[in-house]
Amino acid sequence: QVWMADDAAASEWSKSLKTLKECKMWVKAMTLIAALSPSASKLDCHYNNYKDVSDPTNLGIGNVSAAESWQESIEAARAAQSGAAPSGDDLQKATEAFEKVTKHLSNDAKFKKAANLFCQILGTHLTKETAQAAFEGVKAAVGSGERMRFPNTKNELTEVMKIAWEKRDILVNKQTEQWALLESWRLGTIVAKDLTTDDSFAFAKHAKVAEANPSSPYICEACTTLNINRCPLKQEVLQELEKIPTTAENKIQWPSVEKAKGEGIFTCLTVMQSQYYRAWARAPVNMCFKVLTDPKKRAFFKDNNEKVSDLMAEMQKKNRDASKADSQGHYLSVGFQHGKMGW
């Protein structure tokens, strides 16, 4: 049985066996079966093409193509789940697969298809032995960082990062440059994606972390009525902004991480600024941009420095417009109440 998943290829699964196996839902199914059936090594599979069904009676009863039958090996899924080392031949094939897809990930014209295929391979063939080749693929997918913001690439890149982040303990070692890069790329993809929600509760969940820093000068308005030590409204993006080094002594160890973090934070700021028209998003957005009044903080963004300044100028205009709109709304509301009372 096939169930739908949140990936672009899901809508194409019924066209052919090839399109089915390109879907992340297929990978998830194999991984689940591998986990639930520890002694099984192969799975009997059958495929029918329901996409091109001939249904002249329009009753949902049509002829389908003859079933393709095969035995699917679930050893790769089990190895990926446990991080176990594959055999020599399998290791070579997996490494070559990563290297081949990585070349296409660098090509914008082929990025979408390559990203979908890379997600599949990352889900099934990632082990400690293939981790370096896989990381190079993730790095190629991110590129210079601008793909985080391009409408035609950001969704596919976010899907790549979701799998990479879920498997980060296999993909990279902690306290290394690669781990720091992965954290920075997560900001501009997964976190930025979560910030696009139109749900105020989801926005709070994804944009904020569990504990507030009582000494921070950037405290949300809600803290005036809450116990400051228990306030949950401390933004993740705000934390990253506060950690931006302003002196040479605090400089980030790796230049590549510094650039990646700048791209990630800038992407989040772009998304948050676009959410400013929602009343419930204004306070957290204002807190973030308040930090950037420090020119030393803005200097961290280097190539995007001018763009950050443009965002701030636009924010100031939105602040003025919002204040004016709130003032007019209050005046009309008060006037209406007085009129009702007089009547």
Side-chain angles (χ1 to χ4, degrees):
Q1 294 185 2
V2 179
W3 61 94
M4 301 308 292
D6 58 345
D7 65 297
S11 61
E12 306 292 318
W13 70 268
S14 57
K15 285 186 176 180
S16 68
L17 176 59
K18 180 178 182 293
T19 55
L20 169 65
K21 299 184 79 170
E22 286 177 351
C23 293
K24 289 190 290 297
M25 59 183 176
W26 175 263
V27 177
K28 291 177 180 177
M30 292 302 103
T31 303
L32 181 62
I33 291 169
L36 296 178
S37 307
S39 60
S41 61
K42 294 184 181 296
L43 179 72
D44 290 327
C45 298
H46 311 279
Y47 175 82
N48 287 93
N49 179 356
Y50 288 92
K51 189 69 174 181
D52 302 322
V53 169
S54 174
D55 186 15
T57 61
N58 200 29
L59 294 176
I61 307 172
N63 297 321
V64 299
S65 65
E68 294 184 55
S69 299
W70 76 101
Q71 282 195 320
E72 180 74 19
S73 172
I74 59 174
E75 289 298 333
R78 183 176 292 113
Q81 184 185 37
S82 63
S87 63
D89 290 343
D90 289 340
L91 174 59
Q92 183 179 354
K93 290 179 180 178
T95 302
E96 289 175 353
F98 278 121
E99 292 173 348
K100 185 176 180 179
V101 177
T102 296
K103 294 178 182 178
H104 295 303
L105 287 170
S106 302
N107 187 331
D108 288 337
K110 299 180 179 179
F111 180 77
K112 282 193 174 185
K113 289 185 178 179
N116 288 330
L117 180 58
F118 184 71
C119 285
Q120 179 185 348
I121 299 173
L122 197 61
T124 57
H125 290 73
L126 176 63
T127 64
K128 284 293 184 182
E129 285 69 26
T130 60
Q132 183 57 43
F135 182 82
E136 292 301 322
V138 177
K139 187 176 180 180
V142 175
S144 64
E146 293 185 348
R147 281 176 175 164
M148 298 175 183
R149 298 181 290 278
F150 286 165
N152 60 337
T153 56
K154 63 182 181 180
N155 290 333
E156 286 76 16
L157 179 56
T158 298
E159 292 303 316
V160 169
M161 280 305 305
K162 282 181 179 178
I163 299 177
W165 186 250
E166 288 173 3
K167 296 179 174 290
R168 59 190 180 277
D169 290 327
I170 300 175
L171 185 62
V172 293
N173 295 320
K174 291 184 177 181
Q175 297 181 339
T176 61
E177 181 179 4
Q178 290 183 335
W179 182 278
L181 281 170
L182 206 63
E183 288 183 324
S184 302
W185 295 334
R186 172 184 166 272
L187 273 175
T189 52
I190 300 173
V191 174
K193 176 71 173 178
D194 291 338
L195 288 170
T196 61
T197 179
D198 59 358
D199 185 332
S200 60
F201 295 101
F203 186 89
K205 175 184 176 183
H206 296 305
K208 299 158 187 173
V209 294
E211 296 181 0
N213 175 8
S215 63
S216 172
Y218 313 105
I219 298 299
C220 64
E221 295 172 3
C223 292
T224 59
T225 57
L226 298 173
N227 181 337
I228 189 65
N229 293 316
R230 297 177 60 188
C231 175
L233 306 181
K234 176 73 173 175
Q235 293 182 317
E236 183 173 3
V237 178
L238 182 58
Q239 276 194 333
E240 294 296 335
L241 285 167
E242 289 178 334
K243 290 190 293 186
I244 288 177
T246 54
T247 62
E249 291 76 13
N250 297 328
K251 189 175 181 180
I252 294 177
Q253 181 179 356
W254 300 286
S256 61
V257 174
E258 184 177 64
K259 183 181 185 305
K261 191 171 287 284
E263 289 287 345
I265 297 174
F266 175 66
T267 302
C268 288
L269 290 172
T270 303
V271 174
M272 294 181 74
Q273 188 257 15
S274 69
Q275 291 280 58
Y276 194 73
Y277 70 96
R278 305 184 190 278
W280 45 260
R282 291 177 190 170
V285 174
N286 281 332
M287 284 189 288
C288 284
F289 279 89
K290 186 176 180 180
V291 181
L292 293 172
T293 55
D294 183 348
K296 292 182 179 179
K297 295 283 188 181
R298 296 199 301 274
F300 175 78
F301 294 93
K302 295 183 179 179
D303 294 342
N304 290 320
N305 196 342
E306 291 186 9
K307 293 180 181 178
V308 171
S309 298
D310 291 342
L311 277 180
M312 292 187 67
E314 193 170 343
M315 278 298 304
Q316 290 173 349
K317 182 179 182 300
K318 288 189 175 187
N319 261 314
R320 291 193 297 269
D321 293 344
S323 298
K324 184 177 179 180
D326 290 344
S327 177
Q328 290 176 342
H330 175 72
Y331 174 79
L332 292 173
S333 175
V334 171
F336 175 75
Q337 293 297 331
H338 278 292
K340 190 169 67 172
M341 289 170 62
W343 181 81

